[in-house]
Amino acid sequence: MFDTVLVANRGEIAVRVIRTLRALGVRSVAVFSDADADARHVREADTAVRIGPAPAGESYLSVERLIEAAARTGAQAVHPGYGFLAENAGFARACEEAGLVFIGPSADAIALMGDKIRAKETVAAAGVPVVPGSSGSGLTDAQLADAAREIGTPVLLKPSAGGGGKGMRLVRDVSALEEEIAAARREARTSFGDDTLLVERWIDRPRHIEIQVLADGHGNVVHLGERECSLQRRHQKVIEEAPSVLLDEATRAAMGEAAVQAARSCGYRGAGTVEFIVPGGDPSSYYFMEMNTRLQVEHPVTELVTGLDLVEWQLRVAAGERLGFAQEDVTLTGHAVEARVCAEDPARGFLPSGGTVLLLREPQGDGVRTDSGLSEGTEVGSLYDPMLSKVIAYGPDRATALRKLRGALAETVTLGVPTNAGFLRRLLAHPAVVAGELDTGLVERVVDELVTTEVPEEVYAAAALLRQTALAPAAGTGWVNPFGAADGWRLGGARAWTPHPLRAPGQEPVTVRVRRTADGGTELLPDGADTPVRVTPGAFSADGHRFAFELDGVSYTFATPPDGTWLGRDGDAWQVRDHDPVVASLTRSAHAGADSLTAPMPGTVTVVKVAVGDEVEAGQSLLVVEAMKMEHVVSAPHAGTVAELDVTPGSTVAMDQVLAVIEPKETAE
C-alpha cells in the first residue's frame, strides 16, 4: 500500500477519499485554490498544498501544478476523485511520466472510453448492444443535422468527451437543430475542452441503469450489481438506488456480463461504471450508452448493499493487489437510496444559488450516511460544481430505505445557501417513485407538483416572532422603562400591535403584526387578515439554533442561525428579512418605459449576442450567463430596442444585477 496519496479534487469528493485513506493509515495530501483555503477537505487532510487562484483552469485543472504538488509532498500516487481531471487521459499519462501511480484505469482506456464514438464501436465489436446513432468522429454541424434527420426526431445530442449530462440536448423539432448544436458545442467546450458531438436516437420514457465494475491488473473483472439512476433533471441524476426494482436475476446477470465484456474490451483496471439505457417496457432490450472511467458520485449505494469500500479497492488495485473475491462471492443485501443535495433554488427554476453556510446539520447513523464537503462558514460560490453533499439511506427493503431518506432530508439544514433538499424529499414521496415506476423524464413531468414558489404563512409568522423576541430587553438588565420597551404596552386598553415589515427574495413585501395578550400569550395579525391568530411560542434551543411555536393548533419547529434571517424546516430554507419598499421596487431601470433584464443567478456572462441600438424580437436570446457549469439564456421579454447593455463577455455578475434594458416597441394602441 502507498504511504502518501495526493487527492486531486475538492469538496465532498476529496473528503470522501480522505476518509478511506485515514482508515488505511495512508497519509493524505489535499490541494486547494484560493477560494478553498479554509475548506473542509483542506482541514481534514494530513497535508494541504495551494495550487493556484480560484478559477479551476488555473488550479484544479492545472496538470503541471498538481504534479508539482505531488512531488513537493512526497506522494507516490494520485487519486483524481470523480470530476475535474478524473477522466483526463493526459493527466493519467502525466502522472505516469512523473513516476506517480494514477489511481484509476490506464491513459489508453480513459482515452478510448472517454471518446463516446470510439467507445460504442469498441464495445459493439465485443458483442455489447449499443444505441443507434451517428457514426464517425469530427462531424460538422451540417453532418450532425443530416444524421439527426436520417435517424428521425426526437434525437439526443451528446458531447463525445465528458459526462454528467453536460452539453446534452434533446431535440424534438428539426428546426431547432442549428441552435441546439451550437449550444451543445459551447457547453461541451466549456466543460471538457472538446466540442465534438454525436447524435443518438432518443428512446421515450427510458430507464437509466448502470453496472459497477471492478477490475485488477491481473485479468480479473467482476461486476457489483446495478444502480437505478432514472430520476434525472436536465440529464443530471438527482436520486440513485441499488438494486433496481426493474431487473430480475436473469436480466441482472446478463447486463452484468455485458458490462464485464465492455470493461475487458478496453483493458480496464480499477473501479468503473458501464451505463445502459433500458426501455421500461422491455428490460431485456438494453443498450450500452457509455462507460465512466472513474468512481461515480452514486457509488455509496453500491457500497452499502455489497459491504465493499470502493475507494479502498481502487487503492488496492492501483497498488498491484489482486481482487480478493470472485463474481460468485458478490451478493446484494438490502436496499440503498442516495439524494444529491445541490446549491440550487427550486423556486427560481433550479438556478444555481450561493452564499455562506450559517448553520449546518447533516444526519448520520441509524442507516443514514451523509457524504459532504461543507462546514459552517463555508462560502459557496459560482465557480465549481453545485453539488454540496449526498444523503444516503440503507434499509432491509426499498420502502424502509425511502422512508429513512425522506426523514434524513427533512433533518438536513444548510441555512444561508438555498438547496434542493426539500424538493428531493417531496420527490421521494411521489406515488410513482414509491411504486418504482421510474423513467428519465419523470422528474420533468412532475416538477411543478413538487416546487412551491410561495412562502408559507408560518415562515412569516416565525420571522415576526423572532424579530419580536429580539426587541425584548435582555434578562437581568434591571429596571426597564415601559415607554421605551417595544412590547406594545400603553397606559390603559389593550397592548398595541408591533408591525414587522418582512420580505423574502422574489416575493412581495408583507407585514406581520405581533402583540402580547392580557394573559401573557401572543397574537399575530398577518398581512390582510382581520382576525388575529393566537400563537404559543415554545422556543427551545437544545443546540442553540432551534425555534418552535404553535400556530392555530399546529406545531412548527425551525432551525435558525443567530441573526434569524434564515429559517429552515423539512429540508426547505427561506430567507426573510426586513423589507425596504424603496429598495424592493428598484428592479426596473430608470430608463423611462423600459424593461430591465437581470441576472437570474450569480455567475459569468459568456456570450453577448446584441449591441445597444439593436432591434430584437420577443423571445430572442440576448445573453448567456454561466454558473456552476450551467448555462442560462437571457431572452428578450418583448419586441423592442436594446437601450442599455451593461455587461460584456467575461463580466462577473451578481444575482438580480441589471444586464440590459429593452425599450418596448411602440404599438398601434
Side-chain angles (χ1 to χ4, degrees):
M1 184 50 66
F2 310 107
D3 294 325
T4 303
V5 172
L6 180 138
V7 183
N9 222 294
R10 66 179 295 278
E12 172 269 324
I13 303 168
V15 172
R16 163 68 189 95
V17 175
I18 289 168
R19 184 171 69 237
T20 290
L21 291 174
R22 184 182 300 115
L24 294 174
V26 178
R27 176 171 168 260
S28 59
V29 178
V31 293
F32 64 92
S33 71
D34 290 342
D36 284 338
D38 192 40
R40 179 175 166 184
H41 76 276
V42 175
R43 296 197 303 271
E44 294 198 5
D46 296 307
T47 303
V49 180
R50 177 190 177 275
I51 53 170
E58 301 175 49
S59 51
Y60 295 108
L61 291 173
S62 172
V63 172
E64 180 182 347
R65 293 182 182 184
L66 290 166
I67 297 295
E68 180 187 356
R72 286 171 55 193
T73 55
Q76 300 149 311
V78 174
H79 194 300
Y82 36 99
F84 289 132
L85 297 172
E87 292 181 288
N88 186 293
F91 182 46
R93 215 167 266 119
C95 288
E96 182 181 350
E97 292 170 356
L100 297 164
V101 175
F102 181 81
I103 300 174
S106 68
D108 288 343
I110 293 174
L112 175 58
M113 288 295 154
D115 182 335
K116 292 183 177 63
I117 297 168
R118 290 176 57 208
K120 285 180 65 175
E121 295 170 349
T122 300
V123 302
V128 179
V130 299
V131 181
S134 60
S135 60
S137 125
L139 299 182
T140 65
D141 289 5
Q143 289 172 324
L144 284 167
D146 287 343
R149 294 186 187 97
E150 184 177 343
I151 295 168
T153 54
V155 295
L156 188 65
L157 297 169
K158 296 173 64 175
S160 180
K166 300 293 190 301
M168 290 174 61
R169 291 287 193 280
L170 172 60
V171 184
R172 295 186 180 275
D173 185 351
V174 172
S175 65
L177 274 170
E178 181 179 345
E179 185 171 344
E180 293 290 5
I181 288 171
R185 283 203 195 278
R186 187 168 58 246
E187 190 173 351
R189 188 164 52 248
T190 299
S191 300
F192 315 118
D194 182 349
D195 65 0
T196 304
L197 301 179
L198 68 152
V199 60
E200 290 180 342
R201 175 187 297 165
W202 172 256
I203 299 174
D204 273 318
R205 299 213 171 186
R207 294 180 78 135
H208 183 144
I209 294 179
E210 60 189 31
I211 306 291
Q212 176 72 57
V213 295
L214 194 58
D216 63 23
H218 304 277
N220 301 304
V221 186
V222 299
H223 71 84
L224 306 180
E226 81 282 359
R227 295 186 287 258
E228 171 95 45
C229 304
S230 297
L231 291 176
Q232 303 177 9
R233 195 185 60 79
R234 296 174 183 166
H235 306 298
Q236 293 275 13
K237 304 167 189 173
V238 294
I239 302 287
E240 303 100 346
E241 60 183 297
S244 168
V245 297
L246 181 68
L247 305 189
D248 56 26
E249 286 300 327
T251 307
R252 177 174 294 115
M255 289 183 69
E257 180 57 29
V260 167
Q261 291 305 316
R264 289 189 186 280
S265 72
C266 66
Y268 200 80
R269 181 189 69 240
T273 303
V274 182
E275 302 196 356
F276 293 92
I277 190 166
V278 183
D282 182 13
S284 63
S285 299
Y286 51 86
Y287 301 101
F288 170 89
M289 286 197 301
E290 62 186 8
M291 183 174 187
N292 287 294
T293 54
R294 55 174 168 82
L295 199 65
Q296 290 281 85
V297 171
E298 56 271 21
H299 75 275
V301 295
T302 296
E303 291 185 322
L304 290 173
V305 298
T306 62
L308 298 170
D309 183 325
L310 293 183
V311 174
E312 177 181 346
W313 276 106
Q314 282 188 299
L315 291 161
R316 292 190 180 282
V317 165
E321 291 188 27
R322 293 177 179 271
L323 292 181
F325 51 89
Q327 188 64 62
E328 57 268 23
D329 300 319
V330 177
T331 58
L332 308 182
T333 305
H335 204 95
V337 191
E338 172 184 293
R340 302 188 185 196
V341 177
C342 297
E344 59 185 18
D345 189 350
R348 293 175 63 96
F350 292 90
L351 291 175
S353 63
T356 302
V357 179
L358 305 173
L359 181 66
L360 182 67
R361 295 292 182 271
E362 297 180 318
Q364 295 279 6
D366 189 26
V368 174
R369 161 180 163 182
T370 299
D371 286 6
S372 169
L374 295 176
S375 56
E376 289 185 4
T378 294
E379 293 282 346
V380 177
S382 61
L383 290 169
Y384 309 125
D385 192 272
M387 194 179 76
L388 304 176
S389 64
K390 303 175 307 194
V391 184
I392 313 104
Y394 173 81
D397 51 54
R398 186 172 186 268
T400 302
L402 287 174
R403 185 173 63 252
K404 283 189 175 184
L405 185 52
R406 289 195 297 267
L409 287 169
E411 296 174 11
T412 298
V413 176
T414 314
L415 291 187
V417 180
T419 74
N420 61 342
F423 167 80
L424 295 173
R425 180 180 54 81
R426 292 186 288 274
L427 173 60
L428 288 164
H430 191 277
V433 175
V434 173
E437 298 169 354
L438 315 177
D439 66 76
T440 58
L442 173 62
V443 176
E444 300 289 1
R445 293 196 301 274
V446 303
V447 67
D448 291 340
E449 305 171 28
L450 307 174
V451 174
T452 174
T453 58
E454 297 299 320
V455 179
E457 64 177 15
E458 62 268 18
V459 173
Y460 286 121
L465 289 171
L466 285 169
R467 288 190 83 254
Q468 186 78 2
T469 301
L471 294 174
T477 55
W479 182 82
V480 176
N481 179 357
F483 295 97
D487 61 358
W489 181 87
R490 58 186 174 185
L491 185 63
R495 291 177 182 262
W497 293 102
T498 301
H500 295 288
L502 303 168
R503 181 169 62 91
Q507 303 291 325
E508 292 297 317
V510 303
T511 298
V512 180
R513 292 167 173 78
V514 182
R515 74 177 176 188
R516 296 286 301 277
T517 57
D519 60 0
T522 304
E523 286 183 326
L524 293 181
L525 189 63
D527 228 3
D530 297 322
T531 306
V533 179
R534 184 176 178 85
V535 298
T536 305
F540 64 96
S541 54
D543 57 7
H545 300 297
R546 298 295 239 183
F547 177 74
F549 67 97
E550 184 179 291
L551 173 65
D552 203 19
V554 180
S555 295
Y556 300 96
T557 301
F558 286 88
T560 64
D563 65 3
T565 59
W566 281 86
L567 298 166
R569 178 173 62 81
D570 293 344
D572 282 311
W574 298 271
Q575 186 178 16
V576 181
R577 53 191 177 222
D578 296 355
H579 80 67
D580 181 342
V582 176
V583 174
S585 68
L586 293 179
T587 56
R588 296 173 70 86
S589 168
H591 196 288
D595 280 354
S596 60
L597 300 176
T598 58
M601 58 191 180
T604 302
V605 175
T606 56
V607 177
V608 177
K609 300 182 178 181
V610 293
V612 173
D614 285 358
E615 298 288 331
V616 297
E617 297 300 322
Q620 179 179 334
S621 60
L622 310 178
L623 308 123
V624 177
V625 179
E626 180 185 298
M628 295 181 178
K629 302 181 182 179
M630 173 185 171
E631 283 192 344
H632 185 86
V633 178
V634 178
S635 302
H638 47 64
T641 305
V642 180
E644 296 178 18
L645 185 64
D646 300 330
V647 293
T648 58
S651 297
T652 300
V653 295
M655 186 166 68
D656 295 329
Q657 177 178 330
V658 174
L659 306 176
V661 174
I662 308 301
E663 179 76 34
K665 181 182 291 185
E666 293 293 330
T667 63
E669 290 82 4

